[in-house]
Amino acid sequence: MTLNIAIVLITLLVSFVLMALEVTTPNAVILCALAFLMFVGILSPTDALSGFANDGLATIALMYIIAYAISKSNFITRLFNRILGDGKHEKRSLFKLLASVSVISPFMNNTPIVSTLTPMIQRWTKKKGLPVSKFLIPLSYATILAGLLTVLGTSTNLVAQGLLSKYGLKQFGTFDLAIVGIPITIVGLIYLLTIGYHNLPTYYGSSVDDVEAEPDDYLIEMSVGPDFEFLNQTVADAKLRNLPNSYLVAINCDGQAIVPVTGSTDLRLGDRLYFTGTVDCISDLVQIPGLIPSTEKINMADITNERARLVELTIPDSSRLVNQTVKSTQFRDVYGSVIVAIHRNSVKLQGQIGRIRLKGGDNLVAITNNEPEEMDKIKELHVFNSQTMSSNKRTYKDFLPIVLLVATILVSTLGVIDLFVGLAASCVVLFLTKCVSIDDIVRAVDMNVLFLVASSYALGTAMSNVGADKFIAKSLMSIAGDASPIVYMFLVYFMTNFLTAILSNAAALSLMFPIVVSAAKLQDLPVMMLVMLITIAATADFSTPIGYQTNLIVYGPGHYKFTDYFKVGIPLNLICMVICVFVTYYYYMVL
């Protein structure tokens, strides 16, 4: 091992640890790693920025736009409302959901599918009296499984296309991945409808339902009495904005709810004040002269109204809110909403809400005055229990995005035009026909994901520059010894899948790609076989909510615990690994 190889490997190891510990965002960690590698001369600025000019990255961005246009059209929600039916037979409804998702997911990014269907399924299961937790993890897993059928199904597949182009290798055809995707999807769906179904928890309703049912578990009601020394003065004057252990959520003044509360809000005799905090906080509040604790159960109708309503929010791992406190984000001012409760790993967090440091996957209950359309525009949050029911009115905007996507897939598969060119032309048509606007494009494209993908390319380049890829490939060969190539393939798959669980799918694929290219030469194995192997492994991680974006989307709304993903996901990981290794080996080495 040379000094440069040691530097690269130590840099990667430190990056892994920092991302696993969630010290800061993955993008920040990788940016620091790239800056260090440029400083020591292992990467040139051109190497570090090369990923941003990759056609695979641009293809991901275009797919985001088309998928957003489809989800915006309400086509998906109308279709699945009809598919799910009356819900009299729970497993039959689940089968119809998973089978239908498996038809759509191969042809559009799965993140918009899951974020669009999750609130619809919440409403549907509540109406039918079914456990929402039995539907959401299977929904996420089914989109991941079916996304392996085509190169368009997941962003990871498109990252693989970009890496193949970068290394001068032949790219996958539109349906090349289906040789593994079809058996994995069929067996995976059977598992989710049987063993996986029984391993899922049973949870009805939503976090909003919990707050509405037992508001006294989340809020403390105090009344302003005649002895209150700040009568007819503002909240700021009374110093109620920065209490050490509680947080002023709302005020009911003469039967009218005031949410959110500003520092300039006047306090009057008889006002009812609502604070977040534990029962222990009551002792602090009663120390304030003139504040009288309520002896009756809180009525949420006194806090909400036709404008102010409860919504459920979750934080994606790419959000700028991650690792910030609620107070530092200025949540109340920026989003026009006030947080009532924060759940993490299905447990309500205690303490002063303003001081809680947010993490990806956190589930928030908030009171907001924003309209549903305004809430849907927020990129840093996934919003549930806020969307209005879709209109029955149909226009060309409902069908044009789907027609364009189908046409693009068809002509690119036939070799008439390149996939990137077809997607670019489709996006232009969507823009000219006003199916999407400039604002929609900004909301649709997740720049955090694109930055992570582009930066991950550079880490792979650093490994190639110093020969770390060959070093790791030889080390894996020595572990496998003289055993069958299948043993080596299991090692490569497991290593990629493990990296995906602690990093991200794009980062895992980008790091493993140069390793398998070197391994293919050293082991005299088909390079496309190993590339297909790691592409599947980087996508098919079901063991944690952070392994894939869709897993994190359903984490809060399903009231899942981290261990629920272990129980349901690890067996599915193993199923996918066995099928993928043996199918790719047979296809490339036997046939």
Side-chain angles (χ1 to χ4, degrees):
M1 181 190 298
T2 65
L3 177 61
N4 281 345
I5 291 177
I7 290 173
V8 169
L9 294 181
I10 291 172
T11 302
L12 292 177
L13 179 61
V14 171
S15 300
F16 296 165
V17 172
L18 292 176
M19 284 189 271
L21 294 176
E22 298 181 353
V23 174
T24 183
T25 62
N27 280 335
V29 173
I30 291 182
L31 181 62
C32 291
L34 294 182
F36 173 73
L37 293 173
M38 282 191 288
F39 177 77
V40 297
I42 290 174
L43 277 179
S44 67
T46 301
D47 289 336
L49 296 173
S50 61
F52 291 92
N54 190 278
D55 56 350
L57 188 73
T59 303
I60 294 172
L62 295 174
M63 278 300 301
Y64 271 129
I65 296 170
I66 294 178
Y68 182 85
I70 293 174
S71 63
K72 184 182 175 184
S73 71
N74 290 321
F75 169 82
I76 292 178
T77 51
R78 277 200 297 265
L79 174 65
F80 279 88
N81 266 316
R82 180 173 298 180
I83 287 171
L84 287 171
D86 57 20
K88 291 181 179 179
H89 303 282
E90 184 176 319
K91 277 198 175 182
R92 184 182 300 173
S93 295
L94 179 59
F95 170 75
K96 290 192 290 186
L97 171 67
L98 301 187
S100 304
V101 163
S102 299
V103 173
I104 296 175
S105 187
F107 304 105
M108 64 179 287
N109 189 282
N110 43 27
T111 301
I113 295 176
V114 175
S115 62
T116 300
L117 288 181
T118 295
M120 190 221 77
I121 291 172
Q122 281 183 304
R123 291 191 296 266
W124 181 82
T125 52
K126 182 178 180 180
K127 182 179 178 182
K128 304 300 180 183
L130 298 175
V132 67
S133 58
K134 294 289 189 181
F135 286 80
L136 293 185
I137 275 183
L139 167 67
S140 173
Y141 286 3
T143 60
I144 297 171
L145 290 167
L148 299 172
L149 293 170
T150 72
V151 296
L152 297 172
T154 72
S155 59
T156 315
N157 298 349
L158 295 171
V159 170
Q161 290 288 79
L163 289 166
L164 287 167
S165 174
K166 176 183 175 182
Y167 281 79
L169 300 170
K170 180 184 176 182
Q171 293 187 316
F172 290 127
T174 303
F175 297 98
D176 283 357
L177 292 171
I179 61 169
V180 179
I182 290 174
I184 279 180
T185 301
I186 293 173
V187 177
L189 294 187
I190 293 172
Y191 165 79
L192 289 173
L193 289 164
T194 53
I195 299 172
Y197 174 85
H198 292 292
N199 286 339
L200 286 167
T202 301
Y203 175 79
Y204 295 81
S206 67
S207 296
V208 168
D209 295 330
D210 292 344
V211 173
E212 290 179 332
E214 297 294 339
D216 291 273
D217 291 343
Y218 299 87
L219 297 169
I220 300 168
E221 180 180 343
M222 307 290 289
S223 297
V224 175
D227 297 331
F228 188 61
E229 60 181 306
F230 297 100
L231 278 177
N232 301 317
Q233 297 185 49
T234 66
V235 169
D237 292 335
K239 299 180 181 178
L240 296 179
R241 283 289 297 265
N242 296 297
L243 296 172
N245 298 309
S246 54
Y247 184 83
L248 181 58
V249 171
I251 297 176
N252 185 287
C253 180
D254 295 327
Q256 296 296 316
I258 301 174
V259 185
V261 178
T262 65
S264 60
T265 302
D266 289 329
L267 297 170
R268 305 191 184 281
L269 180 65
D271 282 356
R272 286 176 287 168
L273 314 183
Y274 298 88
F275 299 85
T276 60
T278 62
V279 177
D280 296 335
C281 297
I282 296 178
S283 59
D284 294 334
L285 294 173
V286 296
Q287 298 301 317
I288 301 175
L291 287 188
I292 306 168
S294 172
T295 57
E296 298 180 359
K297 182 175 181 178
I298 294 173
N299 185 354
M300 288 303 296
D302 293 333
I303 305 175
T304 58
N305 53 40
E306 66 278 359
R307 282 278 297 167
R309 65 198 182 284
L310 286 169
V311 294
E312 184 178 0
L313 314 166
T314 61
I315 301 178
D317 55 357
S318 59
S319 173
R320 70 173 185 83
L321 302 178
V322 174
N323 292 318
Q324 293 195 55
T325 63
V326 172
K327 184 176 181 179
S328 67
T329 64
Q330 298 181 307
F331 197 93
R332 174 170 42 195
D333 300 325
V334 174
Y335 302 107
S337 309
V338 58
I339 297 173
V340 175
I342 302 177
H343 293 88
R344 182 177 299 158
N345 199 23
S346 195
V347 176
K348 177 178 176 287
L349 299 184
Q350 304 296 328
Q352 220 274 12
I353 282 181
R355 297 177 181 176
I356 293 176
R357 193 169 296 277
L358 300 170
K359 293 186 177 182
D362 280 356
N363 183 237
L364 319 178
V365 178
I367 303 176
T368 184
N369 284 314
N370 292 331
E371 294 297 327
E373 294 78 12
E374 295 177 282
M375 296 299 292
D376 287 340
K377 293 178 181 178
I378 300 174
K379 290 191 65 172
E380 289 82 12
L381 297 164
H382 291 298
V383 184
F384 306 108
N385 292 305
S386 172
Q387 289 86 342
T388 55
M389 297 300 289
S390 58
S391 169
N392 291 324
K393 184 179 179 181
R394 291 177 172 83
T395 69
Y396 71 92
K397 294 181 180 181
D398 287 336
F399 304 102
L400 182 59
I402 299 168
V403 171
L404 289 173
L405 179 59
V406 172
T408 299
I409 294 170
L410 182 62
V411 295
S412 63
T413 302
L414 295 174
V416 178
I417 59 173
D418 184 73
L419 175 63
F420 173 76
V421 175
L423 292 174
S426 296
C427 288
V428 170
V429 173
L430 291 174
F431 179 72
L432 293 176
T433 55
K434 297 184 178 180
C435 290
V436 294
S437 64
I438 293 294
D439 289 339
D440 288 334
I441 292 172
V442 173
R443 286 191 292 271
V445 180
D446 193 330
M447 294 305 299
N448 287 301
V449 172
L450 296 186
F451 184 89
L452 182 62
V453 171
S455 302
S456 298
Y457 283 158
L459 291 179
T461 300
M463 294 176 64
S464 297
N465 286 352
V466 300
D469 53 345
K470 295 183 178 64
F471 174 80
I472 296 175
K474 289 179 180 178
S475 299
L476 291 175
M477 286 171 56
S478 64
I479 294 173
D482 297 327
S484 165
I486 289 179
V487 176
Y488 190 80
M489 293 169 69
F490 270 113
L491 280 173
V492 168
Y493 188 103
F494 177 80
M495 187 172 177
T496 308
N497 207 232
F498 176 76
L499 289 176
T500 299
I502 60 173
L503 304 178
S504 72
N505 38 37
L509 182 60
S510 299
L511 291 173
M512 289 300 297
F513 199 94
I515 294 172
V516 299
V517 171
S518 297
K521 296 175 182 177
L522 295 170
Q523 290 276 67
D524 194 24
L525 295 173
V527 66
M528 293 304 292
M529 177 182 75
L530 296 182
V531 170
M532 183 176 291
L533 191 75
I534 63 171
T535 301
I536 302 293
T539 298
D541 176 56
F542 310 94
S543 61
T544 69
I546 62 174
Y548 203 87
Q549 282 183 314
T550 56
N551 292 345
L552 201 59
I553 291 173
V554 302
Y555 185 33
H559 263 236
Y560 298 116
K561 296 180 179 179
F562 216 89
T563 52
D564 292 327
Y565 288 83
F566 290 165
K567 290 188 291 187
V568 183
I570 289 178
L572 190 54
N573 275 11
L574 297 174
I575 289 170
C576 291
M577 179 168 64
V578 171
I579 292 174
C580 183
V581 169
F582 282 104
V583 170
T584 51
Y585 177 81
Y586 183 80
Y587 182 78
Y588 284 99
M589 300 290 287
V590 178
L591 292 182

